[in-house]
Amino acid sequence: MSKDNKGITRRDFVKGAATGLVVGAFASMGVYSYTSSAYDRLPTAERKMHDFGACRSVRVTNISETSWFNNAHLIGDIHEAGGLLVNQYTLNWAPFANGKGSAKGSYDDGIGSIKELLPNDLKKAWEIQKKLALHPDNPGGYSCLLEVEDLDGTIHKYLLDTGWSYEWMEDSFKREGIDKMLEEQQIEALFISHEHWDHFWGLPVTVKYDNRIPLYVHDGFYKEGLQYIKDCGYKGEMTIVDKPITEIIPGMALLKFDVPIINRVFGETSLAFNIKDKGLLLISGCCHQGILKFADFAQANLKYDNDRFYGIYGGLHISPFEDWDPKYDDLVISLGEWGFERIGCNHCTGHLTAKKFIEAGYPVVRGTARFRSASKDYLGNGDKISFGC
Amino acid sequence: MDNSSVSYLESRKLVKRWSGPIPALVNTIFILAIFYATWWIFQDPRGLMRMYTPYVGYMVCRWLLILFIWVAYIFDYWPFKRSWLEKTHPLIKGTILTLVSVAAMILLIKGFFVEILGNFGIAYFDPSRLEAMGITDFYSIEYAAEAIMMFAAIASWLSPSWVVACENAPWQKLDQPARGITIAVVTFFLSMIVYFLTMHSHMAILFYPWQKFTAICPPYWEQFANTVSGNFHIAWIMCCTVVVWLFETIWERYPFNLIKNDALRRVTSFFGIIAIAVALCFFLYYAQDLVWGQTIRGTRRLMAPDWRWLHVGEMAIFWLVPSLYLAFYCNNWPTKFSRPVNVCIRTLLTALMAAFVYIVYYKTSHLFLGTQKGFSHPQQFPMIPMIWLINIFLINVWFMDGWPGWRAVPKTTAELAEIKEEVVAHDVAWTPGLAKGLFIGLCAGVLLYIAIINILPWIGEHFTIIH
């Protein structure tokens, strides 16, 4: 074979090899990637079985699940401002309104008009803000009282979230006697599930009655949120939750999820309980991480009685604006396989989702539709639910 | 042979105005400036028009892409004359052709989809009909925009495929506008069939109760895709959209252009693109499972199968951006080796560049695009800024002849003859050396794949893009 011939052969070899490399890689992708054997090689996650103790029961009082009263106004304001990615502090909603119109608000402008009045003259502060805000009567709020009975019978009280409208939350707190409990420092801590308006902006109402209540917030809070805590007159000990699991008392843990949320909010914290002889109870504010991700994380990390999913309470963030998406049906179809025995949902779960849960035959605890709650398909304002009692 | 016998894009040669990398640098700066300015004006949630709601913005940029493809590829710039294209200043030409495309897009969206189809056919194409039925104005607009956008996603695969893979057959000899109208109508019709097979059931599930009498609900793909969401189809359709352009640019239609028989080459190219896209789709889905863990049906965001399928399409688009950049602004580097070697190097290089763009995007986009931090925000579609950028590439190269870094000159007769020759590649012939190389290469390709799927779980454990 001549040198030239060798050169040509080598050149052909390289051409073939280059072609083969790309074809081989793509062929492997197509032939192997979606096969069961490809998935067999995935390691099975070892459950960590973190033992966080047990409690006897949890009783939840729904202080308010009505975060806003009119979907069209809320989503219309967001739409006008530019959509679901617009920074919530610029939306010109109370208590951070400056009267300049949609998407022209700012934290500094808004708080500047009421800062001196916080936390003691909330009525006046809200009146000022109502004059500046878009749809000032639309805010409500999400907040619930958790009464956790430990194994020796002691009752521990906690607040999950603090609502939105100062006016509405004052009324709701008074209706359920939360104001007195705060004043008497019966409530051991306030957990803010996430930084959204309807869970967090009503903070001065809690601070007004107890400005030293231990406070837990996700480490994804923005500087405006952290500044608001100071501007509210809060003087207590704040824990910025930066660990996946934070134990609170035996049988109660705060779980942290790093999840992007609409209107520039980042991160959610939710609560898990191990109810003695019953199993795992999950309680959320909005559950932006998804109830099944919440359950899966708990299953992968926590040890709980009977190794059984027992209950759910809270907003499950599925169809908050009565919108729908096929992926929500994935949840409706799948939830039954997880075996929850008692489902208490409301708020951003959406009426449509609750209706679909009921149609699917899930053990949904229904409500009374009092105090401006819109549906009996789920637990409304003032309704209570017990787990383990 | 003269340059009027081929399309305008084939008839011109883009010549650098300056030597070295200066034209590429100048155009990069120019394109990024246009991108950011137009993003702020039209899309940015903090900007002027705020169309990134996100579906309205998504619909607009997808249909613009189709219109650009129609103007340049399908209609060969008809009704604009070749002499006008050759003599007009690129800035004027770019402005006029873009405005014509925008006008056609508005006519198509508002006229055809909303007013005609939405009012006389399928209600979900018209937001006002949805709103009248009790859906909030925001979701009425978003749902209608999603349906119209998905139609565009399908068309943006099929339209260029008819030109690139099927070589305009059997209408390649028709004059314009007959050829353009025929191909547009045929690909539009095919898009409609694919739309009904892939997205109509998805749209039906948006409404309660499911429109069981007019759509297959739950849909046929539920078990295979582990979701009822049509995002499963977005995955492979987006991969088809991307592969058709890889095939046209960095692969120079290799290896299907080795087939001499016209019909066989065209059919093989068309279905070969789909096969490659499906392979890519399955891999990108599996890659996510390797990095983030297996999906949980019914959960949200990162762990949800529907989002993972969507993200397949998003990852594919991240590959298209560097591929088009390499082809348009780097003279499809490298070009000095044989075609298979060039193709192989470009494939590996652009895949690495895609990974780089992906990382940079997720690390920084929320800082300057007004989007949310995180991979899986339900209102975040990296496809929108990526396609917006690609649209600007296309305006710059197709409508402005690469101005300011390049200028168009007519190709010589010899260069035009070369195009004709290149329909069927002649530089690769079957030899024992090639066969041996092919076998070794195939084994290397399989090993490369195995290496990648073994590295991915380690990457998932040790690297975090978003803190």
Side-chain angles (χ1 to χ4, degrees), chain B residues 402-421:
Chain B
W403 187 90
W406 281 262
R407 65 188 166 86
V409 294
K411 277 183 180 161
T412 61
T413 309
E415 286 166 336
L416 290 169
E418 209 173 284
I419 300 168
K420 194 85 175 169
E421 283 288 302

Side-chain angles (χ1 to χ4, degrees), chain A residues 15 34 81 260 317 330 359, chain B residues 50 208 224 227 300-301 427:
Chain A
K15 283 181 187 176
Y34 201 61
H317 208 276
D330 285 344
E359 283 172 5
Chain B
R50 304 184 178 199
Y208 179 81
F224 185 81
T227 176
R300 310 287 300 274
R301 316 286 172 84
D427 58 346

Side-chain angles (χ1 to χ4, degrees), chain A residues 272-283:
Chain A
F273 299 84
N274 176 27
I275 311 248
K276 180 100 179 128
D277 300 329
K278 292 285 186 186
L280 185 75
L281 165 66
L282 303 173
I283 294 184

Side-chain angles (χ1 to χ4, degrees), chain A residues 60-62 176 366-370 378-385:
Chain A
V60 185
T61 301
N62 179 0
E176 302 301 331
R366 304 184 75 180
T368 55
R370 292 175 298 154
Y378 61 38
L379 293 167
N381 301 328
D383 290 338
K384 295 177 195 298
I385 184 171

Side-chain angles (χ1 to χ4, degrees), chain A residues 42-96:
Chain A
L42 255 64
T44 313
E46 197 178 319
R47 293 178 63 187
K48 292 179 183 159
M49 303 297 274
H50 178 103
D51 189 349
F52 67 119
C55 57
R56 185 171 293 163
S57 69
V58 177
R59 188 173 187 233
V60 185
T61 301
N62 179 0
I63 301 165
S64 171
E65 60 83 21
T66 316
S67 288
W68 53 87
F69 294 97
N70 184 306
N71 270 333
H73 288 166
L74 186 101
I75 201 75
D77 289 344
I78 293 174
H79 187 192
E80 194 184 344
L84 296 164
L85 289 166
V86 172
N87 176 355
Q88 61 173 349
Y89 292 100
T90 69
L91 285 170
N92 243 309
W93 283 338
F96 305 114

Side-chain angles (χ1 to χ4, degrees), chain A residues 288-344:
Chain A
H288 288 98
Q289 72 273 24
I291 184 63
L292 297 187
K293 173 64 189 165
F294 188 9
D296 179 66
F297 179 84
Q299 199 250 0
N301 290 281
L302 301 178
K303 184 181 175 191
Y304 43 88
D305 281 27
N306 297 327
D307 201 17
R308 195 168 71 185
F309 293 115
Y310 169 48
I312 305 170
Y313 175 82
L316 303 185
H317 208 276
I318 299 166
S319 57
F321 309 116
E322 303 309 315
D323 58 312
W324 200 254
D325 190 291
K327 61 177 173 266
Y328 304 160
D329 281 305
D330 285 344
L331 171 63
V332 175
I333 292 164
S334 308
L335 185 65
E337 294 165 20
W338 293 66
F340 284 100
E341 292 173 37
R342 198 165 166 74
I343 297 173

Side-chain angles (χ1 to χ4, degrees), chain A residues 19 23 29 39 60 65 96 119 137 139 185 218 243 282 341:
Chain A
T19 306
V23 172
M29 291 177 189
Y39 280 85
V60 185
E65 60 83 21
F96 305 114
D137 293 321
Q185 297 190 322
H218 189 283
K243 291 182 296 185
L282 303 173
E341 292 173 37

Side-chain angles (χ1 to χ4, degrees), chain A residues 170-282:
Chain A
E170 278 265 33
D171 292 348
S172 300
F173 273 19
K174 283 187 167 56
R175 189 189 71 227
E176 302 301 331
I178 307 299
D179 52 343
K180 295 277 185 300
M181 291 180 205
L182 285 166
E183 272 174 351
E184 293 164 9
Q185 297 190 322
Q186 293 179 29
I187 298 178
E188 295 178 27
L190 166 64
F191 305 103
I192 303 291
S193 64
H194 62 297
E195 200 184 337
H196 261 158
W197 55 82
D198 50 330
H199 297 255
F200 171 55
W201 286 0
L203 181 62
V205 185
T206 299
V207 173
K208 175 183 169 182
Y209 297 108
D210 183 359
N211 67 5
R212 293 191 176 275
I213 185 170
L215 177 65
Y216 291 78
V217 300
H218 189 283
D219 64 355
F221 262 52
Y222 283 85
K223 65 175 186 188
E224 294 98 324
L226 297 172
Q227 185 60 43
Y228 186 44
I229 292 167
K230 290 181 192 163
D231 290 343
C232 284
Y234 180 70
K235 310 277 187 219
E237 190 181 325
M238 179 170 72
T239 303
I240 293 184
V241 181
D242 56 4
K243 291 182 296 185
I245 302 168
T246 305
E247 287 185 37
I248 307 296
I249 56 170
M252 176 180 183
L254 192 62
L255 308 185
K256 170 179 174 282
F257 298 90
D258 294 337
V259 54
I261 309 173
I262 64 166
N263 293 122
R264 202 205 57 158
V265 169
F266 192 86
E268 175 129 352
T269 46
S270 306
L271 291 156
F273 299 84
N274 176 27
I275 311 248
K276 180 100 179 128
D277 300 329
K278 292 285 186 186
L280 185 75
L281 165 66
L282 303 173

